[in-house]
Amino acid sequence: TQILPYVAFRPELHFKEVTYPTSTTVRVSYYTNSSKTVELYRITLTRTNGIVTLRVDNDYTQNLTRTTSYTRTGGVITSVEVT
C-alpha cells in the first residue's frame, strides 16, 4: 500500500461563484474568500445549441491558460483539441 503525505488530505479553502455572462456562457470562478479580492482559478464553458464546444481554464496562481475545443458530428465527440 502507498501512504499519501498529510498535505493530500487538507481541504482546499476557496469561495466559488457561478455567473452567466451571456446566454451561451457559464463562468465558474474560485476566490480566496467571500470578498472576491483575489481570483485563483476560472473555468469558462461556451455552448453551441446547448452542448459544450469550448472550455477555457485560467489558473491565476500559476499564470496558465488551457483551452479545450470539442468538435461533434451527429452528437458524438469526434475531435478534442487542447492548447
Side-chain angles (χ1 to χ4, degrees):
T1 60
Q2 182 181 7
I3 298 174
L4 296 175
Y6 176 75
V7 70
F9 297 105
R10 285 190 316 184
E12 292 185 39
L13 301 175
H14 62 267
F15 178 80
K16 180 169 69 171
E17 176 183 62
V18 179
T19 57
Y20 301 89
T22 68
S23 62
T24 59
T25 305
V26 176
R27 181 177 297 144
V28 182
S29 299
Y30 295 88
Y31 298 92
T32 55
N33 55 41
S34 62
S35 64
K36 299 186 277 186
T37 53
V38 178
E39 187 172 15
L40 301 172
Y41 197 84
R42 178 189 295 172
I43 300 169
T44 305
L45 301 173
T46 304
R47 297 170 309 202
T48 303
N49 297 324
I51 298 173
V52 174
T53 55
L54 180 68
R55 175 181 172 146
V56 179
D57 293 81
N58 297 95
D59 185 341
Y60 298 111
T61 62
Q62 298 182 25
N63 198 27
L64 296 173
T65 299
R66 180 178 64 197
T67 303
T68 308
S69 301
Y70 301 95
T71 303
R72 289 180 168 80
T73 302
V76 176
I77 295 176
T78 55
S79 172
V80 177
E81 181 180 337
V82 179
T83 55

